[in-house]
Amino acid sequence: GQQLNQSPQSMFIQEGEDVSMNCTSSSIFNTWLWYKQDPGEGPVLLIALYKAGELTSNGRLTAQFGITRKDSFLNISASIPSDVGIYFCAGGSYGGSQGNLIFGKGTKLSVKP
Amino acid sequence: EAQVTQNPRYLITVTGKKLTVTCSQNMNHEYMSWYRQDPGLGLRQIYYSMNVEVTDKGDVPEGYKVSRKEKRNFPLILESPSPNQTSLYFCASRLAGLYNEQFFGPGTRLTVL
């Protein structure tokens, strides 16, 4: 089945540093989504990408849909302590009549004040 | 407020004792699904439902049942729980079609002794 490789698995950074994480796949996806999960909560959508090559920002977050449609990256600029959490990528592809979302295994971000 | 609710949030039970985790959404979403989250394995889909009375297996359905008698509710049933079903469970919902945001519930932490 389809799989997503998300890296890195974890990151320990200093407050103020920029962060970069990515997801790759051997399969083509029609949409890429990035979620953040705070401790003890469910994942919340950060950015949605719908077109190959698309670059989208949401505050300090920037994500891109790879031109090959097999990868995506998420950048966080000037990290702050509340950026701590697990970040998931999800690739969407057409399957059946509703489509499927495949999730990466997550990148755990720790920010040292 | 648009939301997905799950109950209970925390549950400790014993092997073989049937349990049900409820999930409800107030957004009139057609698509609902259940995931389990385990360390190092990310989010894995258990079952999903495209609409009332339409359910299908996800990636890890063994040991679980679901039903979708009403559009807003999608309970997860463990007929005979086992310790390997100890996990964090999330319910999610979205509108039909691929290009729609998926909303997650707050999670249910289940421990099976």
Side-chain angles (χ1 to χ4, degrees):
Chain A
Q2 293 174 310
Q3 289 189 339
L4 291 184
N5 299 310
Q6 185 171 353
S7 64
Q9 271 189 311
S10 61
M11 303 181 75
F12 297 86
I13 62 168
Q14 195 79 30
E15 182 178 359
E17 289 183 357
D18 296 342
V19 172
S20 185
M21 60 190 79
N22 68 83
C23 274
T24 60
S25 174
S26 57
S27 303
I28 289 173
F29 288 100
N30 302 103
T31 184
W32 283 95
L33 307 173
W34 284 93
Y35 285 83
K36 183 194 177 196
Q37 183 181 21
D38 290 326
E41 303 291 332
V44 174
L45 185 67
L46 298 173
I47 292 180
L49 302 159
Y50 300 118
K51 190 176 169 183
E54 180 181 357
L55 184 71
T56 297
S57 293
N58 178 8
R60 293 177 296 105
L61 278 60
T62 302
Q64 184 158 30
F65 192 144
I67 200 75
T68 64
R69 294 165 64 191
K70 294 181 179 181
D71 62 342
S72 177
F73 71 75
L74 175 71
N75 286 343
I76 305 173
S77 63
S79 58
I80 58 177
S82 63
D83 290 334
V84 164
I86 302 176
Y87 291 80
F88 290 98
C89 63
S93 63
Y94 292 110
S97 60
Q98 299 289 328
N100 293 317
L101 275 181
I102 309 296
F103 283 85
K105 294 183 180 179
T107 294
K108 186 174 183 180
L109 179 63
S110 301
V111 179
K112 186 176 178 182
Chain B
E1 181 190 353
Q3 59 183 355
V4 179
T5 56
Q6 296 177 227
N7 281 293
R9 293 290 311 275
Y10 302 91
L11 179 60
I12 300 174
T13 189
V14 295
T15 298
K17 187 176 181 182
K18 181 179 178 179
L19 66 92
T20 299
V21 184
T22 65
C23 173
S24 183
Q25 50 92 6
N26 62 1
M27 296 168 279
N28 203 34
H29 287 169
E30 294 89 1
Y31 187 98
M32 297 185 74
S33 59
W34 276 101
Y35 296 85
R36 61 178 289 175
Q37 184 179 25
D38 302 288
L41 297 178
L43 289 161
R44 294 181 293 168
Q45 192 178 52
I46 303 170
Y47 267 95
Y48 64 95
S49 170
M50 297 183 186
N51 216 321
V52 176
E53 301 291 0
V54 182
T55 63
D56 210 345
K57 297 177 180 178
D59 297 318
V60 288
E62 293 76 23
Y64 304 95
K65 284 175 59 178
V66 293
S67 70
R68 188 90 182 273
K69 293 185 171 61
E70 306 163 283
K71 198 172 188 178
R72 64 183 292 126
N73 296 322
F74 190 46
L76 179 69
I77 303 155
L78 283 72
E79 295 270 4
S80 183
S82 61
N84 64 13
Q85 292 179 298
T86 293
S87 187
L88 180 58
Y89 291 86
F90 289 102
C91 181
S93 76
R94 61 179 169 86
L95 289 168
L98 182 59
Y99 300 115
N100 287 295
E101 178 180 350
Q102 178 157 286
F103 293 84
F104 284 85
T108 295
R109 185 165 291 282
L110 172 65
T111 301
V112 183
L113 302 174

